Amino acid sequence: MTAPNPTQSAAAPRVNPLQRLWLRELGMERLWLRPAPRPAVASEPQAVVSKQDSPAMATPGGAPPAPVRDAAPAPAAVASPVAARPAGPGPGLRNGPPPKPAPKPEVAADAAPAPIPVAEAVKNANLDELREQVVACTACGLCSGRRHAVFGHGGQPTRWLVVGEAPGEQEDRQGQPFVGRSGQLLDSMLSAVGMSRERDVFIANVIKCRPPGNRNPKPEEIAACSPYLMRQIALLKPERILVLGRFAAQTLLGTDATIGSLRGRVHQMKTEEGREIPVIVSYHPAYLLRSPAEKARAWQDLKLAARQL
Ligand code: URA
């Protein structure tokens, strides 16, 4: 038998395992045979890791695969839809068929849907359209536990816009703002300064869906929902805004200052069209129910709001 020319290896004939052993014994295997395919153990996890971390590594012409211990999925990959897929009868690590190309479309199919861009959607909505958007909203997790999204309610033209935090249990049941015990107190506070929710006041909340167990709204929920309130302000064009409680005050005024430091003076809020609206901060009625001694201060706030500014 003549020794094979190494340049012919690309066209080398198939050999069976026995022939391969013999060739290895003779020290001719590397001359005769094409390189054996890489074992799956080195390439399969690499595809998962590289999809997450380094696209170049996933390409056939990319950098050589890392050693097996380095190819173990990083924590991020473990959490990814690809890594989390149940292990099926797919390629075994040692003896299975050669690895298949990475299944790219599955990543897109399993990925979470893109969040609804609320800020974009509300831009040109009128009040009825905005209400429909709120009722159908899925921009944060609160939509999964709600009975009703609470858009807000009140008279137009709007003299005062009253802004609370979020619906409670009763509001979630009825789909209307401030209809529980806090709402009864709010109604008497408003009527003490000659205002009525049917005639002069529109009542809304920063958050349109009830947080479970009335917990505090999370920053991401406030961020997801506040474009609705901003659009309500732009459409209702209230003469002034009475803000009840820390969350509403901080959201509308864009501050993390305490309510104690924000109340007792008139703030200005600039709308998208550049109009300035006076904003008065007061305690939330739920807080006043728990701390009736603070009602005197809330009364001062109402008088400030009712003053001709
Ligand atoms: N508390 C609020 O902040 N808003 C409501 O609508 C009801 C209770």
Side-chain angles (χ1 to χ4, degrees):
M1 178 168 117
T2 42
N5 181 342
T7 58
Q8 291 173 350
S9 63
R14 287 177 172 275
V15 290
N16 66 35
L18 196 60
Q19 288 170 318
R20 184 189 292 271
L21 270 178
W22 274 109
L23 286 165
R24 189 174 294 153
E25 284 294 306
L26 293 170
M28 295 176 67
E29 181 191 41
R30 283 170 55 195
L31 294 178
W32 184 259
L33 301 174
R34 291 185 209 172
R38 282 196 189 102
V41 69
S43 55
E44 184 73 1
Q46 179 67 44
V48 174
V49 172
S50 64
K51 262 150 75 104
Q52 299 290 324
D53 298 332
S54 168
M57 297 280 280
T59 62
V68 173
R69 66 177 178 281
D70 295 333
V78 171
S80 80
V82 172
R85 268 184 298 141
L93 285 186
R94 284 194 200 177
N95 300 320
K100 292 180 187 157
K104 280 184 197 144
E106 282 187 45
V107 176
D110 292 354
I116 296 171
V118 175
E120 267 309 300
V122 303
K123 257 183 189 162
N124 298 311
N126 64 29
L127 211 58
D128 288 338
E129 290 163 344
L130 194 64
R131 183 188 301 274
E132 283 167 20
Q133 289 176 1
V134 166
V135 166
C137 182
T138 57
C140 78
L142 294 181
C143 62
S144 62
R146 72 176 173 223
R147 289 186 177 96
H148 292 102
V150 179
F151 177 72
H153 173 84
Q156 283 173 273
T158 304
R159 292 184 61 200
W160 287 16
L161 174 65
V162 174
V163 180
E165 181 178 315
E169 191 191 355
Q170 285 306 316
E171 291 76 18
D172 176 59
R173 277 182 192 281
Q174 299 180 38
Q176 294 295 331
F178 279 100
V179 288
R181 284 185 65 221
S182 298
Q184 288 165 14
L185 177 56
L186 176 61
D187 283 342
S188 21
M189 289 163 66
L190 290 172
S191 73
V193 285
M195 306 296 271
S196 126
R197 73 158 82 193
E198 299 306 328
R199 196 185 52 230
D200 327 277
V201 177
F202 194 99
I203 302 178
N205 289 302
V206 174
I207 300 286
K208 310 302 189 198
C209 299
R210 183 192 182 202
N214 295 346
R215 66 157 168 74
N216 290 337
K218 295 179 183 170
E220 62 269 27
E221 293 160 354
I222 296 173
C225 212
S226 53
Y228 293 125
L229 179 61
M230 297 309 154
R231 186 65 187 157
Q232 284 177 310
I233 294 170
L235 290 165
L236 292 168
K237 299 185 173 39
E239 285 172 25
R240 65 203 55 180
I241 301 176
L242 176 64
V243 187
L244 303 177
R246 178 169 69 94
F247 281 97
Q250 292 181 342
T251 303
L252 271 187
L253 297 174
T255 174
D256 55 8
T258 62
I259 192 141
S261 68
L262 294 171
R263 53 168 297 280
R265 60 203 163 99
V266 179
H267 305 261
Q268 297 292 332
M269 180 191 167
K270 215 171 190 153
T271 64
E272 288 159 6
E273 313 95 58
R275 205 165 65 88
E276 299 239 306
I277 305 179
V279 176
I280 295 92
V281 173
S282 191
Y283 295 114
H284 194 284
Y287 171 74
L288 296 175
L289 288 171
R290 293 194 304 272
S291 315
E294 301 288 7
K295 284 183 183 172
R297 287 206 174 96
W299 174 237
Q300 297 302 321
D301 299 334
L302 283 172
K303 286 200 294 184
L304 177 61
R307 203 180 290 165
Q308 284 302 325
L309 303 173

